[in-house]
């Protein structure tokens, strides 16, 4: 019995010691967890009160650095721009600015061009960086992305330069021609010749100003505010009538046809201007004694039926390198020919904006020496299909010599499907 009691006593003492050691280990673990670690020093707790909330609502990319140049806090935009990598500020000029500001407390600002992440084309990312002290130990870096603002400014600057150049040409010509008329006041033939050229330059200047107004209107106005069902045959007739004189002078046949009883939804004036520009370009860039065709048809689309208005010519065609740029403002495939025909380089830009604002698109197929096909796709006004209209789309009770256009089934060689521009 004495042996059993001794064993029990030893077991009790061993259990007590185990419990004491377990309690001490638990307390030790809690004390270690309560100690500040390297990671916990760089949490939001070290930021002054309210700073975290302010940084979360800023539109700029924000980075907070401590005295060791480690990132205490960085916004998601800072990571997206590639400013922060591996817990460090990855842009050396910004890092140097932060060090200088930490040393003397002065606010610094600079604009930098940074390489884009994930692109091998050398594209620059324009940013504006501003560094300021935040408390006694921290430095705040705010970075604003200026890339889009610079792009818009470049477009605006080029536009102003192009407008100035285009206006200067006819104005300068009018000035010289007026001097020539004064010098040739005693020569009726010279006066007549110079006066005719003055009229041409004045017409060109008027067209340029009007197209600038039209482009500004289609860019700034919402065409769907005054939208209405517009009959396609009326748009075609108006476009053909607009170009009938130029076509007649070059003996170009204008043919229209396709599916009858079609209507589109939108602003009538803008739609007429867009289709008129396409037809006018087709006439101006087509050789004499050729044909320009205008065809309309309905095509099925996931969001509802679309109306395709295709304008086909047998002109000089457009090279592949020019095809992606022809819808840019003031861009001309052949500047000399455009000047001769009175083109301003704004017609296709207007067509592009009208199509986009009406929920449609404009595409082009072209081959050099074979001609071009421009296709304008617009949403159909389905409720107007059943409207009563004349059976013949070509003319209503007009004599043959008075008809503005003729109907056709296949006026030109079939072209491949138009290529959609990016």
């Amino acid at each position: 019995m004495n042996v059993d009691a001794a064993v029990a006593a030893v077991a009790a003492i061993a259990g007590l010691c185990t419990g004491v050691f377990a309690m001490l280990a638990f307390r030790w673990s809690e004390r270690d967890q309560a100690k500040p670690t390297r990671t916990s020093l760089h949490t939001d707790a070290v930021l002054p009160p309210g700073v975290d909330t302010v940084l979360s609502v800023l539109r700029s990319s924000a980075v907070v650095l401590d005295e060791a140049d480690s990132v205490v806090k960085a916004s998601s935009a800072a990571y997206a721009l590639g400013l922060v990598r591996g817990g460090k500020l990855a842009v050396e000029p910004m890092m140097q600015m932060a060090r200088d500001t930490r040393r003397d407390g002065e606010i610094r600002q600079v604009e930098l061009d940074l390489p884009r992440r994930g692109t091998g084309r050398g594209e620059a990312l324009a940013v504006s960086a501003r560094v300021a002290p935040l408390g006694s130990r921290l430095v705040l870096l705010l970075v604003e992305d200026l890339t889009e603002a610079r792009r818009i400014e470049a477009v605006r600057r080029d536009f102003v330069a192009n407008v100035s150049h285009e206006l200067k040409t006819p104005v300068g010509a009018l000035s010289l021609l007026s001097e020539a008329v004064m010098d040739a006041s005693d020569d009726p033939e010279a006066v007549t010749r110079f006066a005719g050229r003055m009229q041409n330059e004045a017409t060109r200047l008027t067209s340029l100003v009007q197209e600038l107004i039209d482009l500004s209107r289609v860019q700034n106005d919402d065409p769907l505010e005054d939208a209405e069902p517009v009959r396609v045959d009326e748009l075609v007739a108006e476009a053909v009538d607009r170009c009938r004189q130029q076509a007649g002078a070059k003996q170009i046949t204008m043919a229209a046809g396709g599916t009858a009883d079609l209507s589109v939804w939108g602003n009538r004036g803008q739609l007429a201007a867009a289709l008129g520009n396409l037809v006018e370009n087709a006439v101006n860039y087509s050789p004499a004694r050729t044909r320009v065709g205008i065809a309309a048809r309905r095509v099925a689309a996931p969001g509802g039926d679309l109306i395709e208005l295709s304008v086909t010519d047998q002109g000089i065609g457009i090279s592949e390198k020019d095809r992606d740029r022809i819808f840019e403002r003031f861009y001309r495939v052949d500047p000399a020919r455009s000047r001769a025909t009175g083109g301003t380089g704004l017609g296709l830009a207007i067509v592009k904006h009208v199509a986009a604002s009406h929920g449609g698109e404009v595409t082009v197929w072209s081959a050099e020496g074979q001609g071009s096909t421009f296709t304008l796709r617009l949403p159909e006004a389905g409720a107007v299909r059943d409207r009563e209209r004349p059976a013949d789309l070509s003319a209503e009770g007009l004599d043959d010599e008075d008809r503005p256009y003729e109907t056709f089934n296949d006026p030109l060689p079939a072209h491949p499907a138009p290529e959609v521009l990016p």
Side-chain angles (χ1 to χ4, degrees):
M1 293 296 295
N2 292 335
V3 175
D4 294 339
V7 172
V10 171
I13 293 173
L16 179 61
C17 292
T18 302
V20 170
F21 279 117
M23 182 176 65
L24 291 176
F26 178 74
R27 293 292 179 86
W28 196 319
S29 175
E30 283 188 334
R31 186 177 64 178
D32 286 343
Q33 291 180 3
K35 287 182 179 180
T37 63
R38 182 178 181 85
T39 304
S40 64
L41 287 174
H42 303 295
T43 61
D44 297 344
V46 300
L47 293 176
V51 172
D52 188 24
T53 303
V54 173
L55 295 181
S56 65
V57 298
L58 287 177
R59 299 181 61 181
S60 305
S61 302
V63 180
V64 179
L65 304 174
D66 63 8
E67 65 275 9
D69 291 334
S70 296
V71 175
V72 175
K73 183 172 181 63
S75 63
S76 57
Y79 286 98
L81 291 178
L83 304 179
V84 178
R85 299 176 190 172
K88 292 288 186 179
L89 186 62
V91 183
E92 183 57 33
M94 296 181 186
M95 180 70 78
Q96 188 59 47
M97 288 174 58
R99 292 167 181 165
D100 295 340
T101 297
R102 186 184 299 110
R103 185 181 63 253
D104 55 26
E106 292 186 3
I107 298 175
R108 289 175 168 81
Q109 183 169 355
V110 67
E111 292 188 2
L112 300 171
D113 291 333
L114 308 177
R116 287 183 182 271
R117 297 181 62 185
T119 61
R121 296 174 293 178
E123 297 179 350
L125 184 70
V127 298
S128 174
R130 185 179 179 87
V131 180
L134 186 64
S136 59
R137 298 186 302 110
L138 304 180
V139 173
L140 173 63
L141 171 66
L142 296 177
V143 180
E144 189 77 24
D145 187 356
L146 304 178
T147 308
E148 184 65 15
R150 284 193 179 181
R151 187 193 68 80
I152 294 175
E153 180 61 28
V155 171
R156 184 182 295 110
R157 185 169 56 251
D158 292 343
F159 181 72
V160 172
N162 286 328
V163 169
S164 301
H165 174 74
E166 295 295 334
L167 290 174
K168 182 179 179 181
T169 302
V171 169
L174 288 172
S175 177
L176 293 175
L177 289 170
S178 63
E179 293 178 4
V181 169
M182 293 179 62
D183 294 338
S185 57
D186 55 347
D187 186 350
E189 293 184 1
V191 169
T192 301
R193 184 172 66 255
F194 292 142
R197 294 182 58 185
M198 290 178 68
Q199 286 182 341
N200 292 337
E201 294 297 335
T203 301
R204 178 182 173 189
L205 182 60
T206 302
S207 299
L208 176 59
V209 172
Q210 184 58 51
E211 290 201 348
L212 286 172
I213 294 173
D214 293 341
L215 180 60
S216 176
R217 182 178 295 116
V218 299
Q219 286 180 319
N220 297 326
D221 293 351
D222 182 5
L224 300 184
E225 287 184 358
D226 301 321
E228 60 179 339
V230 182
R231 291 174 55 172
V232 171
D233 58 332
E234 295 176 356
L235 292 177
V236 172
E238 187 172 338
V240 171
D241 187 64
R242 167 179 168 177
C243 305
R244 181 166 48 183
Q245 183 176 354
Q246 297 97 307
K250 299 173 67 175
Q251 300 180 14
I252 293 177
T253 302
M254 303 186 70
T259 306
D261 294 319
L262 298 179
S263 296
V264 293
W265 185 263
N267 183 290
R268 178 184 177 84
Q270 292 189 14
L271 294 175
L275 183 60
N277 286 344
L278 292 180
V279 176
E280 187 175 12
N281 279 353
V283 172
N284 288 336
Y285 287 92
S286 293
R289 292 179 295 279
T290 56
R291 174 175 285 189
V292 171
I294 311 168
R297 66 169 184 163
R298 180 186 298 113
V299 294
D305 290 350
L306 297 176
I307 302 301
E308 281 191 353
L309 292 168
S310 299
V311 179
T312 304
D313 63 59
Q314 297 172 312
I316 60 176
I318 305 169
S319 65
E320 185 176 356
K321 67 181 182 64
D322 293 318
R323 214 170 294 154
D324 293 340
R325 300 193 59 191
I326 56 176
F327 293 100
E328 296 179 11
R329 292 173 293 187
F330 292 111
Y331 185 81
R332 296 184 177 95
V333 175
D334 186 351
R337 187 181 183 94
S338 295
R339 236 172 240 111
T341 59
T344 63
L346 292 174
L348 291 180
I350 293 175
V351 175
K352 176 183 176 181
H353 282 287
V354 170
S357 62
H358 282 74
E361 63 176 353
V362 58
T363 59
V364 60
W365 175 93
S366 186
E368 292 184 88
Q370 298 183 29
S372 305
T373 296
F374 285 84
T375 302
L376 184 63
R377 295 186 181 91
L378 299 166
E380 181 182 17
V384 195
R385 287 186 197 171
D386 298 331
R387 279 192 177 182
E388 185 178 354
R389 62 178 301 280
D392 186 5
L393 193 142
S394 62
E396 303 175 23
L398 299 177
D399 296 333
D400 290 343
E401 60 183 8
D402 295 329
R403 291 183 179 179
Y405 54 84
E406 63 182 24
T407 58
F408 72 100
N409 293 322
D410 188 13
L412 297 173
H415 285 175
E419 175 185 350
V420 179
L421 292 179

